[in-house]
Amino acid sequence: PLPQVNNPLVEYTFGGQVNFSAQLPPDLVLESAQVFLRSQGEAQTIVGDATLLPGQLTYTHDLSSQPLRAFSTIEYWYRLQPPGAEAYTSETYTFVYEDNRFTWQTLDSPPFRVHWYDGEISFAQDVLNAAQKGAERANKVIQLADQDRQIDIYVYASGKEMQSTLLLGGLDWVAGHADPELYTMVVTLPPGPSQKSEIDRQIPHELMHILMYQAVGPDYYGLPTWLKEGLASYNELRPNPEYYTILQNAVEKESLIPLTYLCQRFPSDQTVYLAYAEASSFVSYLFLEYGPSGLQAIVNGYAAGQGCEQATLEATGLTLNELETDWRRTTLGEDVLLAAFEKLLPWLVLIALALLAPFVLSLANLGARRAAKAPAPRVS
């Protein structure tokens, strides 16, 4: 049998570096050795040259230049090259790369596991309660897969601490703070009078992203942003009370964002709040009009890769644009025809002037010709 590495060890500082070490048979001679490592869910494999010492090899990976995916399971293995012989590969080892800057406590209630470092156990139980209620609500909205995977919830006590985690952990979370592939969510729940309401809002919201991924798999990323965020917002136990005001102001100012603009991404400026408000209201409208089966059919249409405008047609008989028109009229009370007429009015005036100009010019020419043909007045 080929000689293998023994006692593989990993020590790391989150966002800093990872130190790998392993023992080798004392009589083993190697020309070189490499360490291969890959984050869970990532296609890229990182390779580094190990340092060979008598009976040992070591390798230090710099996380600042090549970050690993936070809260994921990291796979790693060794490739050993004896002199004048064929190289061989060790078995694959793993470790979990989580934020070890904090001393985490855990509270389990399958399929959920809460990780927190600030607050009493009653606080963690509130988080678990919100997750369980969020799962119940989500299953009433659309058909979800059996929850057979553990879902980890990491709770930070301040936004600053959480944001540093996102940066150091190489995370690219644009909307929300859930990594559906890892069945992990990261939230900020600072102590204070609004903590309970934030628990009831954030936990079910991020949970819906994970449950949606569990239901449709990688096709989740093909769903329009308004649908993913709308479902997540609709799943909140305490809806955002500001959404109503935001929507009404947008209706009055005729500044609603067309839903087709919200298929690929949400805006990065202040109108992002309007985008969330619209998505939440529109998904609520779809649920009331077409029920869970209709909403499920819409999800299936998008997951199958149908276009943003046409994916709703088979499920509802209406295109996205037609559904949006009805939603604006029935839910937001917008007079769509009047609004459209007011927007077109300047153009209609220009068209009318353009059409009338030749007519007016003809009348002027006709008058001029008649005046020229008229007999000169007699002078007595």
Side-chain angles (χ1 to χ4, degrees):
L2 296 172
Q4 295 291 326
V5 300
N6 299 309
N7 194 28
L9 297 176
V10 173
E11 295 180 345
Y12 68 87
T13 301
F14 188 79
Q17 63 185 30
V18 186
N19 297 316
F20 296 86
S21 65
Q23 301 298 316
L24 299 172
D27 57 347
L28 179 63
V29 177
L30 294 176
E31 188 176 274
S32 64
Q34 291 81 35
V35 180
F36 293 73
L37 58 154
R38 181 172 57 227
S39 300
Q40 178 185 353
E42 298 288 337
Q44 180 185 11
T45 299
I46 300 170
V47 184
D49 291 320
T51 299
L52 291 171
L53 302 171
Q56 185 183 30
L57 61 79
T58 62
Y59 170 68
T60 298
H61 175 73
D62 182 11
L63 290 166
S64 61
S65 60
Q66 291 183 302
L68 298 176
R69 191 174 185 179
F71 307 108
S72 70
T73 298
I74 309 299
E75 297 179 333
Y76 70 99
W77 59 95
Y78 297 96
R79 182 179 183 274
L80 308 178
Q81 177 64 67
E86 187 176 350
Y88 59 94
T89 302
S90 74
E91 63 180 288
T92 299
Y93 310 100
T94 63
F95 69 95
V96 177
Y97 179 55
E98 68 175 7
D99 189 351
N100 61 0
R101 297 173 302 167
F102 303 93
T103 302
W104 296 97
Q105 302 180 69
T106 61
L107 182 64
D108 291 74
S109 181
F112 304 108
R113 183 168 63 180
V114 177
H115 309 257
W116 86 106
Y117 58 85
D118 184 33
E120 303 296 329
I121 195 170
S122 58
F123 163 69
Q125 186 61 55
D126 286 341
V127 173
L128 277 177
N129 292 342
Q132 291 162 346
K133 291 177 181 177
E136 292 175 4
R137 180 175 173 84
N139 276 287
K140 293 177 181 178
V141 177
I142 58 172
Q143 183 179 356
L144 298 171
D146 294 334
Q147 297 173 33
D148 56 352
R149 285 282 301 271
Q150 176 177 288
I151 296 175
D152 287 289
I153 305 170
Y154 288 85
V155 183
Y156 284 81
S158 77
K160 182 178 180 180
E161 290 170 347
M162 187 187 74
Q163 288 302 320
S164 69
T165 300
L166 304 186
L167 293 173
L168 294 173
L171 298 174
D172 183 19
W173 293 342
V174 177
H177 305 292
D179 195 327
E181 291 180 50
L182 301 183
Y183 289 74
T184 298
M185 73 174 80
V186 179
V187 295
T188 303
L189 297 170
S194 63
Q195 186 182 70
K196 184 61 171 66
S197 61
E198 282 300 299
I199 290 174
D200 290 342
R201 188 183 68 81
Q202 292 188 44
I203 300 301
H205 182 110
E206 305 306 337
L207 175 62
M208 180 58 104
H209 286 296
I210 296 172
L211 296 179
M212 284 293 298
Y213 180 86
Q214 189 177 36
V216 301
D219 291 331
Y220 165 85
Y221 296 107
L223 302 181
T225 304
W226 66 258
L227 181 57
K228 289 185 288 190
E229 293 302 331
L231 283 167
S233 295
Y234 186 75
N235 201 49
E236 296 172 8
L237 304 180
R238 300 193 189 191
N240 192 324
E242 296 180 3
Y243 283 173
Y244 176 81
T245 302
I246 292 172
L247 285 172
Q248 290 304 308
N249 289 339
V251 170
E252 292 175 5
K253 296 178 180 178
E254 299 180 9
S255 60
L256 287 170
I257 306 170
L259 289 174
T260 52
Y261 291 6
L262 304 178
C263 283
Q264 299 301 320
R265 63 184 62 85
F266 275 8
S268 57
D269 56 18
Q270 288 297 314
T271 59
V272 67
Y273 300 105
L274 175 59
Y276 274 99
E278 287 190 29
S280 178
S281 176
F282 186 60
V283 166
S284 178
Y285 154 82
L286 293 175
F287 181 74
L288 293 174
E289 287 291 324
Y290 301 99
S293 59
L295 198 52
Q296 183 69 50
I298 292 172
V299 171
N300 293 341
Y302 281 113
Q306 298 175 13
C308 183
E309 174 67 18
Q310 298 298 320
T312 61
L313 191 58
E314 185 175 343
T316 68
L318 300 173
T319 65
L320 179 61
N321 185 59
E322 290 169 335
L323 286 172
E324 179 180 357
T325 299
D326 190 61
W327 161 66
R328 288 187 176 200
R329 178 181 58 83
T330 60
T331 303
L332 304 183
E334 182 183 53
D335 191 331
V336 180
L337 292 177
L338 178 59
F341 176 78
E342 289 177 347
K343 288 182 179 180
L344 290 174
L345 185 58
W347 297 102
L348 293 175
V349 171
L350 290 176
I351 293 172
L353 290 175
L355 293 174
L356 286 174
F359 180 69
V360 172
L361 185 59
S362 297
L363 288 179
N365 290 335
L366 180 60
R369 288 198 297 270
R370 286 180 177 177
K373 291 181 179 179
R378 295 181 179 179
V379 181
S380 56

